[in-house]
């Protein structure tokens, strides 16, 4: 019995020593993991969310020998603002008829998105639709976009004239959105359409 008791005491002491060492080591691992997670979170925050370029507009449809206008190019991305979507091209119906091209989307700003490009004008009877206006650029204000480009005027009265171009959208300010551009007027059978007015830039002070 004395020999058995003597053997049990060292084994008990060894198990206790291992347990103590394990407890002392665990907080170190937890602390290292926490520091790594914190560092990762800080890195993700520092990168921010980059803006995206705008999508290109759809091409217009050509029918009966006509040609649809090309969709506008999407606007360039800003630091955090997205580029505006390009405007859709106008439809062309009939031989010699060409739909107007869609307007280019506005460039994104530091935070605000660019305005969308205007639609191209429709064409018939040998006419040419007006080109859509360019979207206004974004600025620093979050959720404050540039103005939409005006739509191109139609040319459907005959005579081979061109619809007016859409006016460019106004640029955003840090506090107010840009105003939309005016639409181009339709061509008549004897004259071209008139270009739409340029949209006003966003006001720099509130109220907008």
């Amino acid at each position: 019995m004395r020999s058995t008791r003597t053997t049990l005491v060292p084994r008990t002491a060894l198990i206790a020593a291992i347990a103590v060492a394990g407890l002392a080591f665990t907080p170190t691992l937890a602390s290292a993991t926490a520091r790594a997670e914190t560092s990762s979170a800080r890195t993700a925050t520092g990168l921010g969310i980059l803006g995206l370029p705008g999508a290109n507009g759809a091409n217009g449809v050509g029918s009966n020998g006509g040609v649809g206008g090309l969709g506008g190019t999407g606007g360039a991305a800003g630091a955090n603002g997205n580029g505006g979507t390009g405007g859709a091209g106008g439809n062309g119906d009939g031989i010699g008829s060409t739909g107007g091209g869609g307007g280019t989307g506005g460039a994104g700003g530091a935070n605000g998105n660019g305005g969308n490009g205007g639609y191209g004008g429709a064409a018939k009877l040998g006419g040419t639709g007006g080109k859509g206006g360019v979207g206004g650029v974004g600025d620093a204000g979050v959720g404050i976009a540039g103005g939409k480009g005006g739509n191109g005027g139609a040319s459907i009265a005959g005579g081979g004239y061109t619809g007016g171009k859409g006016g460019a959208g106004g640029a955003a300010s840090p506090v107010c959105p840009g105003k939309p551009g005016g639409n181009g007027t339709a061509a008549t059978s004897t004259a071209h359409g008139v270009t739409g007015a340029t949209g006003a830039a966003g006001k720099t002070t509130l109220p907008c």
Side-chain angles (χ1 to χ4, degrees):
M1 294 300 289
R2 289 179 183 175
S3 176
T4 303
R5 289 176 183 174
T6 303
T7 304
L8 288 174
V9 171
R11 286 180 180 175
T12 304
L14 179 60
I15 292 169
I18 292 172
V20 170
L23 289 172
F25 185 68
T26 301
T28 302
L29 288 176
S31 177
T33 302
R35 282 197 295 270
E37 290 177 351
T38 301
S39 176
S40 177
R42 287 175 181 168
T43 301
T45 302
L47 289 175
I49 301 173
L50 298 178
L52 299 173
N56 295 335
N59 294 333
V61 177
S63 58
N64 301 317
V67 179
L70 295 176
T73 304
N80 288 302
N82 299 330
T85 302
N91 297 333
D93 182 12
I95 296 174
S97 302
T98 305
T104 302
N111 292 301
N113 297 337
N116 294 337
Y119 300 141
K124 289 183 178 181
L125 303 176
T128 301
K131 183 176 176 61
V134 178
V137 298
D139 205 305
V142 178
I144 299 174
K148 179 186 178 297
N151 298 330
S155 179
I156 58 176
Y161 291 97
T162 302
K165 295 180 180 179
S173 78
V175 293
C176 292
K179 300 295 184 181
N183 295 332
T185 64
T188 68
S189 60
T190 58
H192 298 300
V194 178
T195 299
T198 299
K203 293 177 63 176
T204 56
T205 57
L206 296 174
C208 294

